[in-house]
Amino acid sequence: MIALPLMILAIDNDDDRAFITQVYLEYRKLMYAVAMNVVRDPQIAEDMVAASITEMIEGVDILRKIKTSRMRSYIAAVVRNNSIDYVRKRDRQGKYVFIPDDEEVINQIPAEGAVDDRLLQTVEIEILRKSVSMLPSRERILLQMKYVDDMDDKAIARTLNIGQDSVRAYLSRARRQLLKIIKEVDENG
């Protein structure tokens, strides 16, 4: 059983508490991964997740309006921004602050969205890699021939000595099975 942060349990409105709980349970691994990528410290990463949850609770009405397809990006941005703010504040309080004055160095800093996209892509690739490895070998080989080796259905049928219609059916089943595994891996890690 997963322990919920106290700030979620303290929400008075039952609907808001249920909604934030669902968001937390669905995206907790993503939030932690984003925070760890920025702060590089497990304790601080947990603090950044908690700070982000607090921010989301305060803006629950805005959070409810976000489309499901954009939710991952929004949550990753909230956590990343909180983590970056923390690092900047920590660095300002430290003795040494690095402020690049070389325009070439400044231009090499990736855009905000590029960092989010790369991080999300890395997390999603790892989930996909883990999920594909859990497929039976026949399905894994079929998907590799189709999407990695870029073979058409006719070439796959010749290689595996099966009918072209069978290739489409097998690929369809393999994709459904992979999607089911991806959902399980994403939920359970």
Side-chain angles (χ1 to χ4, degrees):
M1 181 169 196
I2 297 168
L4 292 174
L6 291 176
M7 74 270 308
I8 292 176
L9 298 174
I11 299 172
D12 291 333
N13 184 311
D14 291 339
D15 290 337
D16 289 347
R17 187 178 335 104
F19 178 72
I20 294 292
T21 299
Q22 177 188 351
V23 168
Y24 174 74
L25 292 175
E26 189 170 339
Y27 296 104
R28 70 184 188 280
K29 291 177 186 173
L30 171 68
M31 290 188 287
Y32 184 77
V34 170
M36 273 299 290
N37 191 45
V38 176
V39 299
R40 307 269 189 227
D41 182 300
Q43 298 282 331
I44 296 171
E46 289 178 19
D47 291 344
M48 294 302 99
V49 170
S52 299
I53 289 291
T54 302
E55 187 175 323
M56 287 182 236
I57 290 170
E58 291 168 358
V60 70
D61 295 332
I62 295 169
L63 194 62
R64 285 183 184 275
K65 293 177 185 174
I66 297 172
K67 293 179 184 174
T68 306
S69 62
R70 303 291 301 153
M71 187 67 77
R72 272 180 95 86
S73 297
Y74 177 80
I75 290 172
V78 169
V79 175
R80 184 185 54 75
N81 290 340
N82 282 329
S83 300
I84 289 172
D85 288 347
Y86 169 82
V87 169
R88 285 180 181 156
K89 184 176 180 182
R90 180 189 64 195
D91 289 349
R92 273 195 305 267
Q93 291 172 349
K95 274 183 155 179
Y96 306 103
V97 178
F98 173 71
I99 302 174
D101 57 357
D102 185 0
E103 195 170 313
E104 185 177 323
V105 173
I106 292 172
N107 289 335
Q108 291 177 356
I109 298 172
E112 225 175 82
V115 174
D116 284 344
D117 292 345
R118 264 199 316 252
L119 180 62
L120 287 174
Q121 187 178 33
T122 302
V123 170
E124 290 168 352
I125 287 172
E126 187 53 40
I127 290 170
L128 180 61
R129 183 177 297 132
K130 187 173 183 179
S131 300
V132 168
S133 72
M134 296 170 75
L135 280 172
S137 63
R138 181 180 182 116
E139 284 81 0
R140 196 171 48 243
I141 290 168
L142 272 167
L143 292 173
Q144 179 178 344
M145 293 171 109
K146 181 71 175 180
Y147 298 108
V148 176
D149 300 338
D150 202 27
M151 295 172 68
D152 62 16
D153 293 351
K154 197 175 199 177
I156 294 172
R158 277 195 314 269
T159 304
L160 298 178
N161 200 23
I162 57 177
Q164 197 170 341
D165 290 336
S166 297
V167 169
R168 285 190 281 278
Y170 291 147
L171 280 169
S172 179
R173 279 188 227 129
R175 285 189 296 262
R176 278 195 306 269
Q177 190 172 5
L178 179 60
L179 183 59
K180 182 180 173 188
I181 293 171
I182 286 172
K183 287 179 182 177
E184 289 173 7
V185 168
D186 193 28
E187 290 172 6
N188 304 325

